[in-house]
Amino acid sequence: MGKMKVSCVLSWLCSCLALWSCSLTLRGCEIIDEDPGSTTAANLTTAAPTPTMAETTVTGSAQETTAPTTTTSATTTSTTTTTTGTTTTTKAPLGVCWGGQKYDGAAGECSEVELRGATRVISNTCAYVALKGGTGVCWGDKSCGADCPNIDFATEVYATELAFLALNTADGSGVCWGRDESTNYYGENCSGLDFTGITHVYSSATDFVAWNSNSGTGFCWGRNGGCTDQDFTGITQIYSSSNGFIALNRNAGTGFCLGKFAHRHYCSRYDFSATDLEVYAFDDGFVAGPAGGQYQSSTMDVGSLASGSLTGTTHTYSTDKAYLALNMNAGTGVCFGDASKGGDCSQIDFTGVTSVHATEGAFLAFKKASGTATCWGDIDCSSVDFTGVTDVYSTIRAFLALNRNSGTGVCFPTDASDDDCSQIDFTNVSHVLYTRTGFLGIKSDQPDRLSTAGYRDHFNPFVVPS
C-alpha cells in the first residue's frame, strides 16, 4: 500500500459555558494516496435543451454558485457543520451512490463528495467528474481518471471508457488523463495537440475525435491512432458509437470512417454517394443499405433482416449481443442478434413506448403514460410496478425505476447485493447517472443549471437520415 499524506486545517471553537459545551470542526481535509496504482470507473440528462453527446457543441461553462468547499482532490468533504450557540446544523451530502462497489471501486461511494454548485457531472466506466465553475471534483477508481489535481476545467469535459478530456476553448488547450498515459489506449494522452477553434468533440469507447466545423479540420487520438490521412473539408456531420465514428459530407455524397471502424476498414464496402443511403449504428457497429434494399454490416449478422425492415427507425439500442431498431412514431420495433440477450422482440408491443433502456443482456421498453413496462432478454420485470414512475435508468447489470414525485425508486434485479437500492432515500433526487455497474443520484442545489452524461451516453448510436 502506498504512503498516505493527510493535510488539513483544524479549527476549534470551545465555549466553556454552564454545560461546558464544546464544538469541533474539521475544514479542508485532504487525504492523498501517493500510490498511483491504488483503487478507492442517442442522451443528455439536463433541465435545458443541450446537444446530444453524439454531436456535442462546445460552449463556455456557467458561472459557479458559491459552495461550502471547492477542491480538485479525488476525495472531498461535503458535510459541513456549523454551530450557533447550542444549535448545530449539518448540510447533508447531495449525492447518493450504490452499486459498483465490486467492479467500480470508490465510484460506488460518494457520501463525502462535494456537489454543491456543480453545473455538470459526467462519468466513464468507473469514475466521475463534477464541474463547478472552472474547478472540478473527481472520484472513483484512480485507474479510470478519479485523480485530477491541477486540471483546468474551464470549459467542458468529455470521456471514453477509461479516460477524460478537459477542454479549454478560450486558449485552445486540452488536458487528458485516465488509465495509462504511456499507452494512450483510451485517449488519456493528448499532449501536444492544439485544440484552437475546436467546435465539437466526439468519443467512442477508446478514441476521441476533435472537429473544427468552421475550418473543416479535425484530428483523432486514442487506441486506433490519429486520422491525419483524412480530409475533413466539407464534412457536415460526424456520428459516434462505442466502436467508432462516421464522418459524412451529405452535400457531396462522401464519407469515411474513424477510430476502430477505420482501423478495420469497415467503410470500404459502402457507397456514400447513394442519396437514399440509410445508416443505423449500434454499440458493436453499424448496418447500412439503400432505402428498401438489402442491409449490410461489417460487424453484425444481419441475415435475418428483411429488406427495408429498418426504414423509419428513430432510435437504436444494444445489449452485449442483441440489437433493437425502434420506430417510435409508428410504435414498431425490429430486433436481431442473440434471442437470449434481447434479440427476439416479435411478441413486444411498442405502441406508446416513450423510452428504451438496456443492460448487458436485456431490454426494457417503458410506457410512461400508462405506467407500464416490458422486459425481454435475461431479465424479467413482470413483477415490478411502474405506476407513477417518471424515469428509468440502467447499468450493465440492473435497472432503476424512479418516481421523482414521491421520492421513491426500485432497482432490479438485485442478485448482486450492492444493486439493491431499497435503503436509498430518493427524496429530491433531480438527476441520475451511472458508471458501468454503479448509480449516482444527485439532489442538486441548482437543478435547472445542472446537466449530466453517464457512461455510454458519450457514444450514442445514430440513425442517418435522422
Side-chain angles (χ1 to χ4, degrees):
M1 178 181 236
K3 296 180 291 183
M4 304 296 291
K5 181 171 63 180
V6 180
S7 173
C8 61
V9 178
L10 179 65
S11 170
W12 116 13
L13 172 63
C14 188
S15 301
C16 298
L17 303 175
L19 297 178
W20 292 91
S21 172
C22 189
S23 171
L24 180 65
T25 304
L26 282 174
R27 295 177 184 163
C29 282
E30 183 177 359
I31 302 176
I32 304 172
D33 188 343
E34 295 184 327
D35 178 3
S38 65
T39 300
T40 339
N43 310 321
L44 287 176
T45 304
T46 175
T50 60
T52 66
M53 292 303 294
E55 186 172 346
T56 305
T57 302
V58 176
T59 58
S61 61
Q63 180 63 39
E64 180 191 15
T65 297
T66 302
T69 59
T70 300
T71 177
T72 55
S73 167
T75 305
T76 69
T77 301
S78 65
T79 302
T80 304
T81 303
T82 58
T83 301
T84 303
T86 58
T87 302
T88 300
T89 302
T90 300
K91 292 183 178 180
L94 298 185
V96 289
C97 297
W98 69 99
Q101 293 286 358
K102 180 178 179 181
Y103 300 96
D104 298 347
E109 173 54 51
C110 60
S111 60
E112 295 188 348
V113 176
E114 178 56 89
L115 291 172
R116 287 180 177 80
T119 55
R120 182 156 174 76
V121 183
I122 76 168
S123 67
N124 60 20
T125 59
C126 45
Y128 294 95
V129 176
L131 303 185
K132 303 169 63 176
T135 63
V137 177
C138 304
W139 73 99
D141 190 327
K142 279 190 175 182
S143 67
C144 299
D147 191 5
C148 60
N150 304 316
I151 299 294
D152 180 0
F153 292 101
T155 304
E156 181 57 286
V157 175
Y158 305 89
T160 59
E161 281 194 342
L162 297 175
F164 293 103
L165 157 67
L167 180 64
N168 186 337
T169 55
D171 61 13
S173 64
V175 179
C176 300
W177 74 101
R179 184 63 176 266
D180 186 350
E181 293 184 11
S182 65
T183 64
N184 207 22
Y185 278 175
Y186 296 92
E188 58 267 60
N189 188 343
C190 57
S191 59
L193 296 178
D194 183 4
F195 291 88
T196 302
I198 290 301
T199 55
H200 302 70
V201 173
Y202 308 85
S203 61
S204 68
T206 59
D207 298 88
F208 287 104
V209 173
W211 178 38
N212 184 334
S213 59
N214 297 319
S215 64
T217 56
F219 54 87
C220 314
W221 72 101
R223 180 176 299 186
N224 293 286
C227 50
T228 55
D229 58 329
Q230 297 293 355
D231 182 3
F232 287 80
T233 303
I235 291 299
T236 55
Q237 298 162 305
I238 297 179
Y239 300 93
S240 65
S241 75
S242 62
N243 274 326
F245 314 83
I246 295 180
L248 297 178
N249 182 334
R250 301 295 288 180
N251 299 323
T254 58
F256 53 83
C257 287
L258 302 166
K260 185 177 179 180
F261 288 170
H263 184 66
R264 298 194 177 182
H265 309 290
Y266 289 165
C267 281
S268 60
R269 67 172 64 186
Y270 302 110
D271 178 13
F272 290 105
S273 65
T275 57
D276 61 349
L277 178 68
E278 297 178 348
V279 182
Y280 305 96
F282 301 85
D283 278 357
D284 287 345
F286 61 92
V287 177
Q294 185 62 47
Y295 297 107
Q296 293 180 314
S297 175
S298 297
T299 57
M300 296 176 288
D301 181 4
V302 294
S304 63
L305 289 177
S307 298
S309 59
L310 301 186
T311 299
T313 294
T314 57
H315 301 76
T316 62
Y317 306 91
S318 306
T319 64
D320 272 5
K321 297 181 180 180
Y323 316 95
L324 163 63
L326 175 67
N327 184 334
M328 194 172 289
N329 298 324
T332 58
V334 176
C335 296
F336 59 102
D338 187 338
S340 67
K341 301 297 182 180
D344 180 5
C345 58
S346 57
Q347 302 303 310
I348 304 300
D349 178 11
F350 290 97
T351 304
V353 167
T354 50
S355 64
V356 173
H357 310 270
T359 62
E360 63 183 356
F363 291 107
L364 183 154
F366 177 48
K367 302 180 181 182
K368 187 173 182 178
S370 62
T372 59
T374 304
C375 298
W376 67 101
D378 63 10
I379 293 178
D380 178 19
C381 61
S382 58
S383 62
V384 179
D385 183 4
F386 287 87
T387 304
V389 168
T390 55
D391 305 275
V392 177
Y393 305 91
S394 65
T395 64
I396 66 166
R397 299 188 312 190
F399 294 104
L400 160 65
L402 176 67
N403 185 332
R404 294 181 191 272
N405 299 322
S406 64
T408 57
V410 176
C411 297
F412 59 94
T414 55
D415 299 335
S417 59
D418 56 354
D419 288 331
D420 183 8
C421 63
S422 59
Q423 302 304 309
I424 300 296
D425 178 11
F426 290 97
T427 304
N428 297 324
V429 167
S430 59
H431 298 72
V432 174
L433 69 160
Y434 45 88
T435 56
R436 190 169 184 265
T437 60
F439 289 101
L440 164 65
I442 303 176
K443 304 181 180 186
S444 177
D445 57 337
Q446 45 181 12
D448 292 342
R449 294 181 55 205
L450 176 63
S451 66
T452 63
Y455 165 63
R456 292 186 303 184
D457 290 339
H458 311 294
F459 28 89
N460 283 340
F462 55 86
V463 176
V464 179
S466 57

